[in-house]
Amino acid sequence: MTGMKENSDEDPESEPDDHEKRIPFTPKPQTLRQRMAEETTTRNEETSEESQEDENPDIWEQQQMRKAVKITEGGNIDLAHSSEFQTVKKFDTSILFPPVNLEIIKKQLNTRLTLLQDTHRSHLREYEKYIQDVKSSKSTIQNLENSTSQALNFKFYKSMKIYVENLIDCLNEKIINIQEIESSMHALLLKQAMAFMKRRQDELKHESTYLQQLSCKAETSTSGSLTTDEKTQWILQEIESRRAQRRQARALSGNCDHQEGISSDDELSSADMIDFQKSHGDILQDLKKIFEDVQDDFCKIQNILLKFQQWREKFPDSYYEAFISLCIPKLLNPLIRVQLIDWNPLKFDSIGLKQMPWFISVEEFMDSSMEDSNRHSSDKKILSAIINKTIIPRLTDFVEFIWDPLSTSQTRSLITHCRMILEHSTCENEVSKGKQDLLSSIVLRMKKAIEDDIFIPLYPKSAVENKTSPHSKFQERQFWSGLKLFGNILLWNELLPDDTLQELGLVKLLNRYLIIVLLNATPGPDVVKKCSQITAYLPEKWFKNSAIRTPIPQLENFIQFLLQSAHKLSRSEFRDEVKEIIIIMVKIKALKQAESFIEEHHLDHLKSVIKEV
């Protein structure tokens, strides 16, 4: 240690005078090698900074290395003691550690393994996500490389958007004119229908009043003439004039088997006809002007559907995702209404819906849709939606305000159109509602006709025995008019429920009006003819089932009248009419009553009629 101190005292004297920092050589906690490295690094930095002042750095380094070796020889002992002391202190055996066994180690390893597996799975998910991102990026790159087709697609969608916007703007502008012309045509037809109805009811009232006055005059006095006011006289002359014209027309056509009262009596006077045709022509002229300033692509249904057909063929996914099948009926509604303005479903020669241009265009559009996918079935509902939204409301208006149930020609034409329309109505909720509204309107209109238009007066037998008397003629006309309505009601047997028709035709009309006239008539060929006509109007499907051996309950009164008439005729000279009555009873399934009558009157030759059933 003394040597070390002496050497250390000599060191500063041997150092150059220009060194200001004294180098420490006292041992420190760091190892000697670390201290040498630090000193060397520090000295190198100083040397680099003062390279111009110090010209012999290698000599100085050698001197320092020799001094370090000397210090190491004397310091190893101290270092050894210090290391031993630290080691003993670090591993003190007095410290207690927790017990360790195989289960604890195994548990820790499993926990560690679980954590590693979770981490691995997380990495796998991230890897898969990165793989998908790479694929998506490649696909995007490829789509971008094909930017030409994308530009064309964008151009098509943009042009389609502009076209639809222009189409909607055009229709919104024209819809007001369409509604005005619709209202004008509806008002014209309504005015005509109301004129016919009012004329019929007024003439019925005046003619009935005249006959009532005639009866009162005959009861009070047998002499003198009946005076009537000028209006009643003029009305009666008008009635007779029209009847004479119809009789003349029937004679020319060879129709001799006609009953007075069956005619609809809907002839217009020449002045009224001219006014009607002029107003009708003015409306049609206004109709032509609606779209005269519009291109065909915005007013022709065929051209509009062609635009959407191109969309469906080029980009079917976006076409069906946009629910175009729900939009087309709304877009076409104004244009279809234009074609329906001059359509009158009550005229026997009116064009059928299937022959209309809009119907043909819509059917072609639906037929051109592909059939290899279920989603394309949405286009198949376009026609039913149009019928429900546009056609049925139009038809319902005709039924409620213009249709005359006493007109057989109007009724047959209306039934034809209704049958076609209801066949194309699917079972959707909206379509079902429209259908029910239409059928309800038909039933209500027929009820109103029974209440307002059926009037069959009853006169004393002395007044009606003479078939040429005005009372007899008037009663006959009114009976056949009621029987005509009876037949018109039962023409709806394929469209309306059976119980509804039986309530209207059998209960409200046959049992309330027609039977009463028959009961007050003298049995004979004329009565049998009327009964045969009543039976002919009854739908065959009501009696077609051979298993049914009992009549319809609502026909019970009619059957009892047939039995009474048969009993009376069997005791008179009209024995041939008895067979006709039996045939009628067999047709309406009154088999037990017919068998009882045959046995009671020993008419064995008529049993074959029952066996044929």
Side-chain angles (χ1 to χ4, degrees), residues 183-407:
S183 300
S184 299
M185 182 63 77
H186 181 77
L188 180 64
L189 297 177
L190 178 61
K191 179 182 178 181
Q192 185 187 55
M194 295 300 294
F196 286 145
M197 185 181 300
K198 186 176 184 305
R199 186 180 71 181
R200 181 172 61 212
Q201 292 177 355
D202 287 345
E203 290 176 351
L204 178 63
K205 179 180 177 180
H206 283 87
E207 191 170 8
S208 175
T209 302
Y210 169 75
L211 293 175
Q212 186 177 3
Q213 294 176 355
L214 191 63
S215 298
C216 294
K217 185 67 176 178
E219 291 177 0
T220 57
S221 175
T222 56
S223 62
S225 61
L226 178 65
T227 60
T228 57
D229 58 272
E230 294 181 0
K231 183 178 180 181
T232 301
Q233 190 67 31
W234 178 80
I235 289 175
L236 294 176
Q237 291 176 359
E238 285 290 323
I239 295 173
E240 188 58 34
S241 175
R242 292 197 304 274
R243 288 173 183 164
Q245 291 177 2
R246 289 194 293 270
R247 283 194 292 267
Q248 184 178 2
R250 287 194 297 270
L252 294 175
S253 62
N255 184 13
C256 300
D257 188 15
H258 180 83
Q259 300 294 333
E260 292 285 347
I262 293 181
S263 300
S264 299
D265 194 15
D266 53 3
E267 295 88 359
L268 283 173
S269 64
S270 57
D272 292 338
M273 179 62 71
I274 292 173
D275 291 341
F276 177 83
Q277 291 178 348
K278 182 180 182 305
S279 299
H280 186 267
D282 293 341
I283 293 174
L284 296 183
Q285 288 297 323
D286 293 338
L287 181 62
K288 293 179 181 179
K289 297 177 182 179
I290 292 181
F291 291 108
E292 64 181 4
D293 59 342
V294 178
Q295 296 180 2
D296 289 347
D297 286 344
F298 298 95
C299 63
K300 298 292 185 182
I301 293 178
Q302 186 176 6
N303 294 9
I304 295 173
L305 292 177
L306 183 60
K307 292 281 187 180
F308 289 101
Q309 184 176 344
Q310 292 173 355
W311 183 1
R312 183 176 62 192
E313 292 174 355
K314 291 182 178 180
F315 310 103
D317 292 336
S318 63
Y319 172 86
Y320 290 105
E321 289 173 0
F323 297 100
I324 300 302
S325 60
L326 300 178
C327 302
I328 288 178
K330 296 180 180 180
L331 285 176
L332 301 184
N333 176 272
L335 301 174
I336 295 175
R337 286 164 62 180
V338 169
Q339 297 187 25
L340 293 177
I341 287 177
D342 193 33
W343 176 64
N344 189 345
L346 304 179
K347 294 175 65 176
F348 69 94
D349 57 348
S350 63
I351 183 174
L353 289 177
K354 290 185 177 181
Q355 286 74 43
M356 287 188 173
W358 71 265
F359 193 99
I360 298 173
S361 298
V362 172
E363 272 198 329
E364 291 176 353
F365 178 78
M366 294 192 305
D367 294 339
S368 64
S369 63
M370 292 178 289
E371 301 177 354
D372 56 350
S373 177
N374 292 330
R375 64 181 180 177
H376 297 149
S377 61
S378 60
D379 282 350
K380 300 298 182 182
K381 300 177 182 179
I382 292 176
L383 182 59
S384 62
I386 291 174
I387 289 176
N388 179 60
K389 295 291 185 180
T390 307
I391 308 302
I392 288 182
R394 175 78 171 174
L395 200 60
T396 304
D397 287 341
F398 273 95
V399 170
E400 291 180 354
F401 302 106
I402 302 173
W403 173 45
D404 181 11
L406 269 72
S407 173

Side-chain angles (χ1 to χ4, degrees), residues 36 50 130 132 135 151 215 279 294 320 443 449 503 612:
M36 289 172 61
E50 302 174 356
Y130 294 148
Q132 292 297 327
K135 291 182 179 179
S215 298
S279 299
V294 178
Y320 290 105
V443 173
E503 175 68 20
E612 291 176 359

Side-chain angles (χ1 to χ4, degrees), residues 156-186:
F156 174 81
Y157 284 124
K158 185 177 181 181
S159 64
M160 197 68 192
K161 178 178 179 293
I162 295 173
Y163 171 76
V164 173
E165 290 176 348
N166 292 335
L167 175 62
I168 293 174
D169 291 341
C170 174
L171 296 178
N172 287 336
E173 182 180 348
K174 299 297 183 181
I175 190 64
I176 298 176
N177 296 333
I178 295 173
Q179 291 173 348
E180 291 177 352
I181 296 176
E182 273 184 334
S183 300
S184 299
M185 182 63 77
H186 181 77

Side-chain angles (χ1 to χ4, degrees), residues 46-47 62 93 106 131 138 167 172 251 262 269 310 320 370 445 540 549 567 573 584 593 595 599 608-609:
E46 293 176 356
T47 303
Q62 293 177 3
T93 57
K106 183 178 179 181
I131 293 297
K138 290 181 179 179
L167 175 62
N172 287 336
I262 293 181
S269 64
Q310 292 173 355
Y320 290 105
M370 292 178 289
R445 184 65 188 90
E540 293 183 0
R549 306 289 293 181
H567 283 296
E573 69 275 11
I584 293 173
Q593 293 87 337
E595 290 173 352
E599 291 178 0
S608 60
V609 177

